[in-house]
């Protein structure tokens, strides 16, 4: 049996090849795309191995799992990204370890994050999660604000103490006009990102693409891909 370190190194090398190939195909520099490894459901020991293998960005989607894991790995040179649906009663914990939250999707969350960031004396980078399948003015089933709510939310983040709007995040929708069309979905996200930069020029991060569709995201122009199972293996339970 191959040991875990070798397994992770092999998987990372394959993902790295995929990102490099996608960048080359799109005429982009490899440096334009940052790999975030989504470590949800996997133990702190894997995070430690990934750090030794050169990973610098990791992501989690549940505070209950992420908080102890981040504490166990606090000696490592890692940036933690929070990518899951976030309840306001969890934000105090999340701001203690996360440098970026990718799932900001409502005013109440902006208010809570701002208060927690101020209290912790930290600056928090916020990405607005866009639900490309949500109706106007609504939120998506898996979180995210409808495209027409993005600019207002960005203004709220920019005005909130302790928070900075840094870009957009999406998950390719399973329903609606973009179902099974990740390339088109990510293209639409890029249009929204262009609109956003007109009023918030520093909000230039585009977080899109996972194990199954990272090539589509890189082709569209994503700056950050969030890859879980292709690096760590198929998750043992829903996460
Ligand atoms: C789990 C998760 C990922 C990674 O998904 P994989 O298919 O395992 O690569 C990316 N983004 C979010 C928001 C996730 O919850």
């Amino acid at each position: 049996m191959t040991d875990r370190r070798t397994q992770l190194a092999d998987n990372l090398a394959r993902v790295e090849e995929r990102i490099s190939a996608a960048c080359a195909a799109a005429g982009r520099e490899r440096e334009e795309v940052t790999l975030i490894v989504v470590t949800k459901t996997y133990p702190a020991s894997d995070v430690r191995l990934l750090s030794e293998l050169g990973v610098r960005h990791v992501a989690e989607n549940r505070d209950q799992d992420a908080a102890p894991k981040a504490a166990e790995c606090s000696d490592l040179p890692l940036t933690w990204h929070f990518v899951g649906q976030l309840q306001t009663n969890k934000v105090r914990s999340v701001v203690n370890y996360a440098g970026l939250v990718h799932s900001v999707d409502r005013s109440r969350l902006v208010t809570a994050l701002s208060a927690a960031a101020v209290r912790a004396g930290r600056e928090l980078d916020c990405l607005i999660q866009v639900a490309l399948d949500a109706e106007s003015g609504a939120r998506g089933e898996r979180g995210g604000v409808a495209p027409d709510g993005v600019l207002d939310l960005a203004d709220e983040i920019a005005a909130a103490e302790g928070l900075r709007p840094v870009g957009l995040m999406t998950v390719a929708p399973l329903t609606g006009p973009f179902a099974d069309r990740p390339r088109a979905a990510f293209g639409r996200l890029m249009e929204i990102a262009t609109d956003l930069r007109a009023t918030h020029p520093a909000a230039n991060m585009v977080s899109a693409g996972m194990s199954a569709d990272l090539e589509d995201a890189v082709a569209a122009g994503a700056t950050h891909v969030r890859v879980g199972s292709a690096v760590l293996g198929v998750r043992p339970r829903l996460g």
Side-chain angles (χ1 to χ4, degrees):
M1 206 187 106
T2 3
D3 73 353
R4 184 63 170 154
R5 187 193 175 90
T6 307
Q7 209 173 56
L8 291 176
D10 289 351
N11 290 348
L12 265 180
R14 264 193 297 271
V15 166
E16 180 53 43
E17 266 173 38
R18 287 177 59 189
I19 298 172
S20 297
C23 285
R28 303 180 64 195
E29 297 295 329
R30 171 63 189 87
E31 295 72 39
E32 292 175 41
V33 180
T34 299
L35 169 65
I36 304 171
V37 179
V38 184
T39 50
K40 65 188 182 194
T41 77
Y42 286 95
S45 55
D46 280 351
V47 177
R48 194 162 287 278
L49 288 171
L50 289 167
S51 175
E52 288 169 16
L53 292 166
V55 169
R56 290 296 170 261
H57 295 270
V58 293
E60 289 281 330
N61 71 335
R62 285 159 54 98
D63 177 63
Q64 303 93 293
D65 304 328
K69 219 184 281 188
E72 244 183 278
C73 296
S74 61
D75 59 315
L76 303 175
L78 292 169
T79 297
W80 292 78
H81 299 247
F82 192 88
V83 300
Q85 289 190 46
L86 183 51
Q87 288 159 342
T88 51
N89 64 346
K90 298 285 196 279
V91 299
R92 257 207 214 176
S93 171
V94 167
V95 299
N96 286 327
Y97 56 87
L100 302 91
V101 172
H102 291 227
S103 43
V104 179
D105 62 358
R106 59 200 190 278
S107 299
R108 245 164 55 81
L109 186 55
V110 172
T111 310
L113 284 168
S114 172
V118 168
R119 191 172 182 275
R122 295 184 63 151
E123 284 279 324
L124 190 67
D125 288 348
C126 296
L127 287 82
I128 296 169
Q129 182 179 347
V130 183
L132 293 166
D133 53 354
E135 301 292 326
S136 167
R139 279 172 65 216
E141 231 168 90
R142 292 180 300 165
V145 63
D148 66 355
V150 167
L151 292 178
D152 283 349
L153 204 52
D155 289 344
E156 289 173 28
I157 295 167
E161 207 181 334
L163 307 184
R164 277 190 296 247
V166 296
L168 300 180
M169 181 274 248
T170 204
V171 177
L174 298 171
T175 58
F178 292 115
D180 295 320
R181 297 174 61 222
R183 182 78 64 108
F186 298 145
R188 177 72 186 110
L189 183 72
M190 295 307 297
E191 292 175 0
I192 302 166
T194 301
D195 288 348
L196 174 63
R197 283 198 307 276
T199 43
H200 299 280
N204 55 10
M205 283 179 63
V206 179
S207 166
M210 318 200 298
S211 294
D213 53 22
L214 73 86
E215 283 84 1
D216 291 314
V218 171
T223 63
H224 290 69
V225 292
R226 310 178 307 270
V227 180
S229 49
V231 173
L232 288 134
V234 175
R235 284 178 292 277
R237 58 181 168 86
L238 275 183

